[in-house]
Amino acid sequence: MEPALHLDVAGGTATVRIANPAKRNAMTTDMWRALPGLLERCAADPAVRVLVLTGEGGTFCAGADISSLTEGVDRSRDLAIAAEEALAAFPKPTLAAVRGFCVGGGCQLAAACDLRFASDDASFGVTPAKLGIVYGASSTRRLVELTGPATAKYLLFSGELIDAARALRTGLVDEVWPQEALDRRVAEFAGVLASRSQLTQAAAKEFAAGPAGPGRIAHWAEQERAGGDTAEGVAAFLERRQPRFGWTVGEETFV
């Protein structure tokens, strides 16, 4: 199998699979380059309400393919950070489904997702100290925001792996499940996310990323007034039925 990113869309969920089984799903240069464009397509597709990132088979991603460093460390790091930032900026909910190794660039991608669910056999590590590479500033800040400075320093200074239980305790992952139950739980929760208001999710995602200026607060207040989701949510509650939210990313109402 040639290294590639595979995309499937079903039931409102886009599933992106990292596939490079010969190297434990390590990301090649071409895969780093391909990810932002693939995410852009998913963001523009109204059929996609949630994105799940996972690995082919029993491994999430063992990091960057070291052979790709022939282009130079700076270039390879820039491509990885661009892919990470595109994933972090994806305007719909993202969920990493992690089993097996989630190391280096793989952990970088998982950390860029909104949520991380792991199987109990998962292992996490951030390993640039093993190669003498400076981890990106934005990637470091994102790791600190998830785990706190002490755990981030442990991972970055040592390059050692931690198990799923410790990742859960330190905030690196949100849920841990037996291996056989992970796919079912991810599908179930992705369905929950897909059923919720995309308006609420998009605004919350933007606000959670950092301070919002008055213009952006006013923008989202206008979307709430004009977008229709609030009226539908209240009506559905009073009528004791599931809401049918219609606001979608990319279709903001401007008045």
Side-chain angles (χ1 to χ4, degrees):
M1 180 186 294
E2 289 296 315
L5 300 174
H6 299 300
L7 172 65
D8 297 299
V9 179
T13 299
T15 301
V16 177
R17 294 188 182 277
I18 303 168
N20 186 5
K23 295 188 176 181
R24 292 180 174 174
N25 295 335
M27 291 282 288
T28 65
T29 298
D30 287 343
M31 292 163 76
W32 288 121
R33 285 197 182 100
L35 185 57
L38 186 152
L39 294 172
E40 186 176 351
R41 283 165 37 209
C42 290
D45 185 350
V48 174
R49 300 185 68 88
V50 181
L51 186 137
V52 172
L53 179 67
T54 192
E56 191 72 36
T59 294
F60 181 75
C61 174
D65 185 344
I66 300 302
S67 64
S68 69
L69 295 181
T70 55
E71 290 198 17
V73 170
D74 288 345
R75 180 58 179 156
S76 297
R77 179 170 47 228
D78 289 348
L79 289 171
I81 290 174
E84 174 194 2
E85 293 301 326
L87 183 56
F90 189 75
K92 305 170 187 180
T94 55
L95 171 61
V98 179
R99 50 172 48 83
F101 289 105
C102 180
V103 179
C107 197
Q108 190 175 349
L109 289 174
C113 290
D114 296 313
L115 300 165
R116 287 148 297 280
F117 289 5
S119 63
D120 54 11
D121 72 329
S123 297
F124 299 82
V126 185
T127 54
K130 292 184 176 181
L131 298 170
I133 294 172
V134 174
Y135 203 51
S138 61
S139 307
T140 300
R141 286 194 299 270
R142 186 166 287 118
L143 184 63
V144 170
E145 288 170 359
L146 282 176
T147 68
T151 296
K153 289 175 183 177
Y154 176 92
L155 292 167
L156 284 164
F157 290 1
S158 71
E160 294 292 292
L161 302 187
I162 62 173
D163 61 18
R166 183 168 181 178
L168 181 64
R169 289 197 307 272
T170 57
L172 186 56
V173 301
D174 300 285
E175 295 185 7
V176 173
W177 291 85
Q179 298 174 45
E180 65 277 9
L182 180 64
D183 287 342
R184 182 172 65 252
R185 173 56 179 159
V186 167
E188 173 190 62
F189 195 73
V192 169
L193 296 177
S195 73
R196 305 305 194 216
S197 168
Q198 209 170 104
L199 170 64
T200 302
Q201 293 168 342
K205 186 160 183 170
E206 182 177 320
F207 292 164
R216 294 308 296 170
I217 293 172
H219 167 80
W220 287 112
E222 182 56 43
Q223 299 311 302
E224 184 180 48
R225 285 191 293 270
D229 272 15
T230 303
E232 168 60 16
V234 172
F237 178 81
L238 294 174
E239 296 166 13
R240 298 185 180 181
R241 61 172 174 82
Q242 289 296 314
R244 296 180 291 274
F245 295 118
W247 190 96
T248 59
V249 167
E251 295 185 1
E252 286 92 339
T253 301
F254 295 92
V255 178

